[in-house]
Amino acid sequence: MSPQARRDDLIRAALDLFGSRAPELVTVDDIVACAEVSRPLFYRYFSSLRELQVEALRTVTDGLIDRLAGLEEGPPPERLRAAVRGLIDVADSYRAGYIALLRSGSVIATSETNAAIDRVRNRAVELILDALGVTEPSPLLLLTLRCWTAVVEGTLLSWLQEGAVPREDLDGWLVDQLAAMLAATAAHDPTVPVVAAAQ
């Protein structure tokens, strides 16, 4: 196995373990047992458990960015629904890692992981502006879109932890939330475009 493949394997092992317990409760011994490697080999690739935790959580944010990178063409509501479905898929795949990444007060949170989260948020705002055909957003529009990304994050955290809402209802509901927020903002700023509610 190549060095990069071995490193990726250790990250996968950590993410697998995050699926059953909080990242801060996963030890080096847990990871090497899951990956079927020795402790010395672990430290050949990672200087500390913290470094592996950060790399594993970056894998989650990279997955979110990748799902936002190339989206289908079509009317704004459909493009936005596709984006939200992609985010739901990644959050569900890396359930515990996603929760740890966004949970307030997580011991795994660092300036590095916070910067990675900001990359996801900024990409989401860029995507919406592109879908709306807006190249020079007003301050109120930017504020609206940033607030909506917070709604998406809060919704996904609650859904992952509680599962009270059926998965198939989430994307349409979240796009409807954006449509309502844009309509409210347009009442104060006529340059703000509106989108139709999801069907």
Side-chain angles (χ1 to χ4, degrees), residues 30-44:
D30 294 329
I31 293 165
V32 299
C34 183
E36 298 181 345
V37 299
S38 65
R39 281 180 67 93
L41 191 138
F42 172 91
Y43 286 107
R44 185 182 305 170

Side-chain angles (χ1 to χ4, degrees), residues 120-196:
V120 176
R121 292 169 177 157
N122 291 338
R123 178 61 187 133
V125 169
E126 290 169 6
L127 169 79
I128 301 165
L129 291 173
D130 181 60
L132 296 175
V134 175
T135 55
E136 295 184 13
S138 69
L140 266 182
L141 176 56
L142 283 176
L143 185 58
T144 301
L145 299 184
R146 288 173 183 147
C147 288
W148 182 71
T149 63
V151 169
V152 173
E153 289 174 3
T155 297
L156 291 182
L157 279 176
S158 294
W159 177 71
L160 290 172
Q161 293 172 315
E162 301 164 11
V165 177
R167 179 187 178 125
E168 59 272 16
D169 294 340
L170 284 180
D171 58 329
W173 179 77
L174 284 167
V175 172
D176 284 350
Q177 292 290 315
L178 177 59
M181 292 173 74
L182 288 173
T185 302
H188 298 269
D189 180 353
T191 68
V192 173
V194 296
V195 298

Side-chain angles (χ1 to χ4, degrees), residues 60-69 71 79-95 98 102 117 119-121 123-125 127-128 148-153 156-157 159-160 167 170-171 174:
V60 178
T61 58
D62 286 349
L64 294 168
I65 290 285
D66 288 346
R67 293 307 293 262
L68 292 172
L71 294 170
R79 294 181 68 191
L80 294 171
R81 284 188 74 166
V84 173
R85 279 195 297 270
L87 294 176
I88 293 169
D89 288 344
V90 174
D92 196 26
S93 296
Y94 298 119
R95 180 176 296 256
Y98 184 87
L102 294 177
I117 294 169
R119 282 180 54 226
V120 176
R121 292 169 177 157
R123 178 61 187 133
V125 169
L127 169 79
I128 301 165
W148 182 71
T149 63
V151 169
V152 173
E153 289 174 3
L156 291 182
L157 279 176
W159 177 71
L160 290 172
R167 179 187 178 125
L170 284 180
D171 58 329
L174 284 167

